[in-house]
Amino acid sequence: LTLLIAVTGWLNLNNLISRGDKLGEISHLLGMTKDLRTARLKFQASRAPADAKLVEDAIAQLDRQQQLVGSQLSDPIDLDKVAQQAKLTAEYRTLFKGLQKSFDGRDSARKTLIRKAAVVTQGLELIEQSLVASTSPEAIKELAAVSALGRVVMAARFQVLAYTSSEDPAQEQTAVDALEQATKTVQEHMQTAPADQHDNFQAAVNALQDYHKALDRYREEVNNSQAMRDRMRDSGLQIEKLSSELSTIQTAKRDAAADQAKSLLALASVLAMVLGTLAAWMITRQIVLPLRESLAAAERIADGDLSQTLKVDRRDELGQLQASMQRMSSSLRELISHIHDGVTQIASAAEELSAVTEQTSAGVNNQKTETDQVATAMNEMAATVQEVARNAEEASEAASAADREATAGAG
């Protein structure tokens, strides 16, 4: 019973420890997911190769931890969630590589913007220089118009710069509209510009169009990177959610295992009590009944009843006790039988001795009678002797007197 309770407790304790280990690994997995998000945000802010390496290392550690957690789980539902996490992690790795390429594309597009902006500025400056060299009133008027165009283009560049610096979606359309308006303004002015400045204006328009294409490419890369970041964020959140679900499931299983352990221990305790009570009853029965039989046999022996035979069918100590009492009873019966035989012999000898005693007593009585007769005769004889003695004495005295008298007569 003690072994049953110990084994039940050990198994349930081992189960709880296993659940605790799984919860610990899942919590570690959740912490790694948060560390990955932190590393990603740091890389997005710095875009440094060292921070990119941190993100890649965090993804690799997360992948290894997922494999470790998967090796500890056996429930198909849990394994499915781990498989989903592994799939999301692989997607996260792919998205991060795409994000790095997108950042490289944005940097390339930004450099193109800078070059094209310089070309646009250079084209307008060439127009201004050619107009400054002319002294005609039309040239001075055209110079003022070109300066105004320069300010429009510069304002559009400022809008583009504000957008590329902040990557604020709210400023994206403003920058696009400003650039389109600047390009349209330059194209419209090119129609009325002097013929000798037509090529310079065309070069400025071409540069603005290239600038616009570079901006479109930059916008595309920004949107792509933003979409990738959003997907990476969603993947990270989904991984965290799955980790939380795994933690919740394992916590519920741990609590269920704890409740089951309590129930099993309670059941084992109740079963132990029932079996203990039954075993105690059986042991008591196995001890008390033979003891009662032995006690009854002892009481019969004490009362002098040696006719009963004690049945012995056990080999334990109580069986040895009963066998000893049976041997004692048999020995007492044999002893009493021997005593009975001796008493019988003694009784026979006593009867014979009584007969001899009676004969002796009769002889003694006869001898006594004869002795009494002899005594009577002796008494009579003694009386006779005494009489004879008295007569003899008297005769002696008479003789003495006669003698005296004779003496006296002689004298």
Side-chain angles (χ1 to χ4, degrees):
L1 297 178
T2 303
L3 180 61
L4 175 63
I5 296 176
V7 170
T8 302
W10 182 83
L11 290 176
N12 287 290
L13 180 60
N14 187 44
N15 189 16
L16 289 175
I17 292 175
S18 177
R19 294 294 180 190
D21 293 339
K22 293 176 182 178
L23 279 172
E25 296 299 338
I26 292 172
S27 298
H28 194 195
L29 179 63
L30 184 60
M32 286 183 174
T33 306
K34 294 180 179 179
D35 293 340
L36 175 60
R37 180 176 59 185
T38 302
R40 176 179 61 83
L41 293 175
K42 184 179 180 181
F43 168 73
Q44 290 176 188
S46 66
R47 302 176 188 174
D51 293 333
K53 184 66 168 56
L54 290 177
V55 175
E56 293 173 352
D57 292 341
I59 294 174
Q61 292 177 359
L62 181 64
D63 186 59
R64 289 193 296 269
Q65 185 66 18
Q66 288 170 350
Q67 293 178 2
L68 176 61
V69 171
S71 66
Q72 294 179 341
L73 301 176
S74 58
D75 192 320
I77 297 177
D78 297 339
L79 293 176
D80 181 66
K81 292 185 180 299
V82 175
Q84 292 180 35
Q85 281 191 330
K87 183 178 179 181
L88 289 170
T89 302
E91 181 182 359
Y92 198 100
R93 181 182 286 109
T94 302
L95 289 172
F96 180 69
K97 292 180 179 179
L99 181 64
Q100 289 178 298
K101 292 181 180 180
S102 178
F103 282 161
D104 293 339
R106 286 197 316 182
D107 292 339
S108 176
R110 184 182 286 111
K111 292 178 182 178
T112 301
L113 284 173
I114 294 173
R115 289 197 306 269
K116 296 303 179 180
V119 172
V120 172
T121 303
Q122 184 179 3
L124 294 177
E125 288 178 351
L126 289 174
I127 295 172
E128 288 179 350
Q129 290 175 2
S130 64
L131 291 174
V132 169
S134 177
T135 58
S136 63
E138 292 80 4
I140 295 174
K141 182 179 179 181
E142 183 66 20
L143 179 62
V146 171
S147 298
L149 288 176
R151 289 193 294 273
V152 171
V153 172
M154 187 60 65
R157 288 184 60 189
F158 284 149
Q159 293 292 337
V160 172
L161 180 62
Y163 166 64
T164 57
S165 299
S166 64
E167 297 181 359
D168 185 2
Q171 295 181 358
E172 177 183 0
Q173 192 60 43
T174 303
V176 172
D177 293 341
L179 184 57
E180 289 179 350
Q181 182 64 36
T183 303
K184 182 179 179 181
T185 301
V186 173
Q187 288 176 336
E188 290 177 349
H189 188 78
M190 185 179 65
Q191 301 297 327
T192 60
D196 58 343
Q197 301 296 330
H198 186 273
D199 292 338
N200 291 330
F201 275 106
Q202 186 62 47
V205 170
N206 293 336
L208 282 172
Q209 290 176 344
D210 291 339
Y211 189 82
H212 196 291
K213 291 178 180 178
L215 178 60
D216 291 339
R217 181 186 171 193
Y218 183 85
R219 291 168 58 200
E220 181 180 359
E221 295 296 341
V222 168
N223 293 332
N224 288 338
S225 64
Q226 185 61 47
M228 290 180 184
R229 282 183 290 181
D230 293 340
R231 290 176 61 187
M232 291 175 68
R233 180 197 62 204
D234 294 340
S235 296
L237 292 176
Q238 188 65 22
I239 293 174
E240 290 183 17
K241 180 181 177 182
L242 290 171
S243 298
S244 300
E245 290 177 357
L246 282 173
S247 179
T248 302
I249 291 173
Q250 292 301 316
T251 301
K253 290 182 177 180
R254 183 197 60 187
D255 296 340
D259 295 338
Q260 183 181 9
K262 294 177 183 178
S263 300
L264 287 177
L265 286 175
L267 179 61
S269 300
V270 172
L271 182 60
M273 292 179 62
V274 173
L275 293 178
T277 303
L278 181 60
W281 178 78
M282 293 179 65
I283 293 172
T284 302
R285 183 178 177 82
Q286 291 291 323
I287 294 175
V288 171
L289 290 181
L291 283 178
R292 287 179 179 176
E293 293 176 357
S294 300
L295 179 60
E299 290 179 351
R300 288 196 300 270
I301 293 173
D303 293 338
D305 183 7
L306 302 177
S307 61
Q308 300 292 328
T309 299
L310 186 61
K311 183 179 179 181
V312 180
D313 55 359
R314 301 170 60 122
R315 296 182 179 272
D316 55 2
E317 287 77 6
L318 289 175
Q320 295 175 4
L321 174 62
Q322 290 178 334
S324 298
M325 293 194 66
Q326 178 61 31
R327 288 196 300 272
M328 181 183 70
S329 178
S330 299
S331 298
L332 287 175
R333 280 201 300 267
E334 292 177 0
L335 177 60
I336 291 174
S337 178
H338 293 161
I339 293 174
H340 181 268
D341 294 340
V343 169
T344 302
Q345 293 176 0
I346 291 172
S348 299
E351 289 179 356
E352 295 176 357
L353 181 61
S354 177
V356 172
T357 301
E358 289 179 355
Q359 293 177 358
T360 303
S361 178
V364 170
N365 289 331
N366 291 333
Q367 290 179 358
K368 180 180 180 182
T369 300
E370 292 177 357
T371 300
D372 289 341
Q373 291 176 357
V374 171
T376 301
M378 289 294 291
N379 289 332
E380 290 178 354
M381 186 181 292
T384 301
V385 170
Q386 288 178 359
E387 183 67 25
V388 171
R390 189 172 57 250
N391 292 333
E393 185 179 359
E394 288 177 357
S396 176
E397 289 179 356
S400 295
D403 182 58
R404 281 189 308 268
E405 289 177 2
T407 300

